[in-house]
Every structure is written in structure tokens, then in C-alpha cells.
Amino acid sequence: MKDYYHILGLTSTCQQAEIKKAYRVLAVQYHPDKNNGDRASEERFKEISVAYSTLIDEALRNEYDYIRGYKTTYRNLRTEPGAPSPVSYLTRVQRIKTQVLNAGGRINKTALFTVLNGLLNEKTITYLILQRDILTNNLITDEVFTCCVFLDEAAKATLYSSLEKLANGDPKFAEKLALRNKRDSTAQNFTISKPAESTDERPATTTILIFILFIVLFVILLAL
């Protein structure tokens, strides 16, 4: 993914007003009509337009910053300083997912479920829905789905129910859930065949019997 801040000549900590100002200057400079249809200028203008349309939108900028790893630049104008925001919940779930993946599967499933289930309580879900930050909510859903890979079916069902409430009727969630259930079903049906134990044990049993018979014959010969 391209660095949209660099394209506009800005840093990730810039204000929305700076984004608008930078776009206006660059758009005039590289507009095709100002450059006699120059192909390079046209491509540059398109690049500038994409960068601007992403960064000027609050939710899209949050998502872009998240993907790029600019964790300290998340913003949400609907909340007061110090108050929770959709992005703050996203970063909490993201940290949980990172810890789970770094554990290499050696996790306390009960503890993981308890943390996620507590995070997705009714109050939080209601708050996230009211904030209407659909993109951030979708990212939260994706992160929780990843964590659910390590949980049993009962725990997954509970969390999936909470995520369905968070989706608030979003048809894309149903598609995600169907795909996730399909993956889970495939994983459950996949079994690794075990070698027959009887085949491995027969040679060992035969060897022991032969050894015992040899000892018995040896004792008989000594007695004669």
C-alpha cells in the first residue's frame, strides 16, 4: 500500500485542514488541463486524488493508519478527549490477537474467551453501533474472528452472537460468518490417519517370545 501522507507531502500526525490545503496545491499543479494532457502528470494527479479521498475521510483514515501501523494517530471526532472510542476498542482487540499469535497456540482458552466476551459486552456493542464507525467495527470483527480460531465451538458461538449484534444488520457480516463456519467445519473434518498400532507391536511381541523360548531351551540344556 502506498504512503498517502508522503504523496501529499505530509506526516501521519497532520491535521485534516493540512490535508485539504496540500491537496488543493498539488491538484492545481498536476491537473491534466494545466499540463497539456501530460501522461505523467495525469497519473500523479490520480495518485494525489486517491490519497486525498482516503485521508480526508475520518473513518477511512483510521483504517488506513491501522493497516499502515500508525497506532498513535487514530482519531475520532465524536468522542471527547480521554473517552473511549471505536478505535480504542480496536487497538485492545488487536493487542489481544497479537499476544495470541505470539504465543504460538500455547494459550489459556478460558482466559482468552473471558477477555473477549467481557470486551464485547452489551454496553460496548451498543456504544459502537451508535458511533456508526462501520469500518472500525468491521476491523474489530476481523480481529475477533482470528482469535476465535483457538477457541472451542461453544465459545465461538457466544462470540459470534455478539459480533452479529455488532454488525447491526450488515449483510457483509453474514458472508464473513458463513465463510468462517465453512473454514471451521473443514478444519474439524480434517483428520490425520494414525498408523495401525497392531502392526508396530507384532514384531516386538514376536521378538520377546523368541527370546523367552531361547532362555527356556538354554536352561533345559544346562540341566541335562
Side-chain angles (χ1 to χ4, degrees):
M1 180 177 288
K2 294 182 178 180
D3 189 337
Y4 293 153
Y5 292 107
H6 179 72
I7 290 173
L8 297 179
L10 302 169
T11 66
S12 61
T13 58
C14 66
Q15 301 298 315
Q16 298 300 99
E18 295 177 84
I19 295 175
K20 291 181 180 180
K21 182 179 179 180
Y23 172 72
R24 289 169 182 166
V25 173
L26 293 173
V28 172
Q29 181 180 350
Y30 290 99
H31 196 284
D33 293 343
K34 296 287 185 178
N35 293 275
N36 299 319
D38 179 68
R39 183 66 177 175
S41 296
E42 182 179 352
E43 292 301 318
R44 175 70 170 144
F45 179 78
K46 290 180 180 179
E47 192 176 50
I48 293 168
S49 297
V50 171
Y52 173 76
S53 62
T54 299
L55 298 182
I56 200 61
D57 184 283
E58 196 76 22
L60 289 178
R61 185 179 179 185
N62 278 337
E63 181 180 7
Y64 174 77
D65 286 351
Y66 171 73
I67 294 173
R68 291 283 298 185
Y70 301 134
K71 299 183 179 62
T72 59
T73 63
Y74 289 138
R75 59 199 61 75
N76 190 298
L77 299 179
R78 303 185 190 90
T79 58
E80 298 178 358
S85 69
V87 173
S88 69
Y89 286 106
L90 172 61
T91 54
R92 288 173 63 184
V93 177
Q94 196 273 339
R95 284 197 295 268
I96 293 171
K97 184 204 71 173
T98 299
Q99 291 174 355
V100 169
L101 296 180
N102 289 342
R106 298 184 297 275
I107 61 173
N108 184 324
K109 295 182 179 181
T110 301
L112 175 60
F113 169 73
T114 300
V115 171
L116 291 175
N117 194 44
L119 189 61
L120 294 173
N121 58 62
E122 291 290 341
K123 182 178 180 181
T124 299
I125 291 175
T126 300
Y127 166 77
L128 292 173
I129 291 174
L130 291 175
Q131 289 299 297
R132 301 182 183 277
D133 193 342
I134 298 176
L135 288 173
T136 298
N137 290 349
N138 284 337
L139 288 171
I140 291 174
T141 298
D142 291 340
E143 299 288 12
V144 174
F145 269 145
T146 300
C147 294
C148 283
V149 171
F150 301 92
L151 299 176
D152 57 34
E153 294 307 308
K156 287 180 183 178
T158 300
L159 294 175
Y160 288 174
S161 178
S162 297
L163 292 177
E164 185 175 9
K165 294 177 182 178
L166 178 61
N168 196 32
D170 183 358
K172 292 183 179 180
F173 173 78
E175 297 176 3
K176 287 184 180 181
L177 182 58
L179 179 60
R180 179 64 58 178
N181 286 333
K182 183 178 180 179
R183 290 176 179 175
D184 292 344
S185 177
T186 301
Q188 289 176 359
N189 293 330
F190 180 77
T191 56
I192 301 176
S193 59
K194 297 180 180 180
E197 296 179 357
S198 58
T199 303
D200 295 334
E201 293 178 353
R202 285 175 183 173
T205 302
T206 302
T207 302
I208 293 173
L209 290 175
I210 292 175
F211 180 74
I212 292 174
L213 288 174
F214 176 79
I215 295 297
V216 171
L217 291 174
F218 181 73
V219 171
I220 293 173
L221 290 173
L222 288 178
L224 296 178

